[in-house]
Amino acid sequence: MPRVFKIVPTTQKYDWGKIGLSSKVAQYAAAAKIPGFTLDEKAPYAELWMGTHPNGPSLVAGSDTTLAEYLAAHPELMGSKVVSRFRDAGAEEGNLPFLFKVLAIEKALSIQTHPDKKTAEALHNEKPNIYKDANHKPEMALALTPFTAMCGFLPLSQIAGYLVSTLELAALIPKPITTQFLSAASSADSSSPEAKTALKDLFSALMTADEATFKARLADLVKRYEAGGATEREEGVKDLVLRLNSQFPGDIGVFCAFVLNYVKMQPGEAIFLAAGEPHAYVSGDIMECMATSDNVIRAGLTPKLRDIPNLVSGLTYGAGDPSRHMVKPAAFDSAAAHTALYDPPIPEFSVLQVLVPGGQTEAHPPIEGPSIAIVTEGKGALESAGEKLEVAEGDVVFIGAGTGVKLVAAERGQLAIYRAFVEAS
């Protein structure tokens, strides 16, 4: 039985995806000649799913067997420690604890957060038709191309500055809440209970503002920006406000540009979104890895169901520089000079970025858990236990637990691979 083999991912078309071959999702699907995939140059290709999620299960290449079915029949490929650990956490047999994706974003995703495990269980019990599982959904986004996102609350002093300088925003917040917030923002400790309460009250007031009022104020704001009337303070968010309003005209979520960090990332940079952190991906192509779950609580920039009460109540209200969300790459193994490890503080997954120069090799020691890897550039081979698997751009590979592999780049061109894995400690 092979321990390294190709799997067939699934593509997802959502209206926020990039169109045709401008999308990395479509590029990889076309390059790998995914069975059943026919390129539509006018269609939005948003996501490529790699894993065992029932809404888009990968198949073992050359068969009709899902990866979950195959792993259930061959649990040694998962590893006994991983099987035991995540079975105790409620995972079904054969299901990986993570879902690996490529996302290609043309239109901003919703203002959203993900519940922690306890909240997910409660929401699933209360509204199983909306929150369809009881798992949490921490996630990490690793930029493949220049990527922008909103994530986490701005430092309180910056929000306070917008409240003072942006009259259209201030008009949506009752004066007692503004006064309370400005007082809290002047404190040195933004993590104090008082500061968190002030931020929660401000955000709740913003997201529940009267619709007629916020639509009118947003129209005023857009008109002012289009006429070149942005203040110096507002220059950093002007383009974001105009972009979001062009995609979601008159949506309250546009005002989140004044309360959330706007991050601009380059390839190789990553952010981690833990439970209770508000965020919205804005543009770009990314690798995304998440705990296997569908639980999303939305509040703006979306035609989907908005659950503002649960979103407001579930946020952590941490505020500060976006660097607190960044995941810094670290060394994976002393002998793997071309591999960087992105290791967020959760047990479900870590991700490796492997960039092997042409004609060179990279050895990965055995990992005590399963992996899924995708080739995003170049071609070469994966060698293990005397077997050789040829790979090229778009190919997706499963690597069984306890399997050492050598990644061999073709003579010309870099071999780029992203590898998600779980390893029970």
Side-chain angles (χ1 to χ4, degrees):
M1 180 187 66
R3 300 186 68 84
V4 180
F5 52 88
K6 291 183 182 180
I7 61 175
V8 181
T10 61
T11 58
Q12 308 286 353
K13 296 178 181 178
Y14 305 136
D15 67 352
W16 50 262
K18 289 189 175 182
I19 305 299
L21 282 177
S22 68
S23 166
K24 288 288 186 185
V25 171
Q27 290 174 28
Y28 298 150
K33 297 180 173 62
I34 291 178
F37 177 81
T38 302
L39 178 67
D40 181 349
E41 280 287 7
K42 297 181 179 179
Y45 291 94
E47 298 188 351
L48 186 79
W49 288 23
M50 300 166 282
T52 57
H53 196 290
N55 290 348
S58 296
L59 300 177
V60 176
S63 77
D64 294 325
T65 303
T66 69
L67 179 59
E69 291 169 339
Y70 194 79
L71 295 179
H74 302 283
E76 65 274 15
L77 294 174
M78 293 274 283
S80 59
K81 290 184 178 180
V82 168
V83 170
S84 175
R85 178 172 189 172
F86 290 99
R87 179 188 293 143
D88 292 344
E92 294 184 12
E93 191 173 9
N95 280 344
L96 297 170
F98 65 84
L99 177 62
F100 203 24
K101 294 182 179 182
V102 178
L103 269 62
I105 304 153
E106 179 64 32
K107 183 179 179 181
L109 278 68
S110 57
I111 302 294
Q112 62 184 261
T113 188
H114 305 298
D116 59 22
K117 193 74 166 64
K118 182 178 179 181
T119 304
E121 291 170 353
L123 291 174
H124 179 60
N125 287 332
E126 294 170 5
K127 302 177 180 179
N129 59 321
I130 298 172
Y131 302 103
K132 298 183 179 181
D133 61 75
N135 201 17
H136 65 167
K137 192 185 176 185
E139 62 190 33
M140 181 170 66
L142 204 168
L144 287 170
T145 65
F147 168 64
T148 60
M150 293 188 285
C151 67
F153 286 105
L154 284 164
L156 300 188
S157 60
Q158 289 186 240
I159 299 175
Y162 286 130
L163 273 176
V164 172
S165 69
T166 305
L167 299 181
E168 296 88 350
L169 171 67
L172 303 180
I173 312 298
K175 287 186 178 180
I177 292 177
T178 298
T179 301
Q180 175 194 22
F181 182 84
L182 293 177
S183 175
S186 66
S187 168
D189 185 7
S190 63
S191 64
S192 69
E194 294 78 13
K196 288 180 178 291
T197 296
L199 179 56
K200 180 178 181 178
D201 290 347
L202 173 77
F203 187 65
S204 178
L206 176 63
M207 300 310 291
T208 58
D210 173 72
E211 183 175 1
T213 302
F214 77 67
K215 284 182 179 293
R217 297 292 78 77
L218 181 55
D220 292 341
L221 180 68
V222 168
K223 183 178 180 180
R224 178 162 65 85
Y225 283 179
E226 290 177 338
T231 66
E232 183 177 354
R233 182 187 296 276
E234 294 169 335
E235 281 296 331
V237 296
K238 179 190 69 175
D239 289 344
L240 176 60
V241 166
L242 294 176
R243 178 187 179 94
L244 295 178
N245 189 68
S246 71
Q247 296 173 351
F248 300 92
D251 193 297
I252 187 62
V254 177
F255 279 103
C256 286
F258 298 103
V259 296
L260 301 182
N261 288 293
Y262 183 42
V263 295
K264 300 178 181 180
M265 296 162 53
Q266 295 302 311
E269 295 184 313
I271 53 174
F272 173 66
L273 288 315
E277 294 291 350
H279 61 279
Y281 298 157
V282 176
S283 66
D285 301 87
I286 62 172
M287 298 302 308
E288 184 184 57
C289 202
M290 62 181 65
T292 301
S293 173
D294 285 325
N295 285 322
V296 179
I297 308 174
R298 299 178 178 88
L301 306 181
T302 180
K304 296 182 178 180
L305 176 71
R306 304 177 187 218
D307 189 351
I308 292 173
N310 276 314
L311 183 135
V312 168
S313 66
L315 297 179
T316 65
Y317 294 100
D321 189 273
S323 62
R324 66 194 182 95
H325 297 287
M326 303 298 289
V327 181
K328 299 295 184 182
F332 168 59
D333 183 81
S334 58
H338 306 298
T339 301
L341 169 65
Y342 295 81
D343 189 21
I346 40 95
E348 284 86 356
F349 62 83
S350 300
V351 175
L352 301 175
Q353 179 198 58
V354 192
L355 306 175
V356 186
Q360 297 191 32
T361 65
E362 183 87 333
H364 283 184
I367 293 175
E368 203 173 7
S371 304
I372 289 179
I374 180 172
V375 179
T376 60
E377 180 186 342
K379 59 184 179 179
L382 271 63
E383 298 179 356
S384 177
E387 297 186 354
K388 184 177 182 179
L389 182 66
E390 301 284 347
V391 294
E393 181 181 328
D395 283 336
V396 182
V397 176
F398 178 87
I399 303 170
T403 306
V405 292
K406 181 185 291 185
L407 299 90
V408 183
E411 285 300 318
R412 294 185 178 181
Q414 175 178 257
L415 176 65
I417 292 177
Y418 289 85
R419 179 182 178 184
F421 68 93
V422 55
E423 184 171 32
S425 56

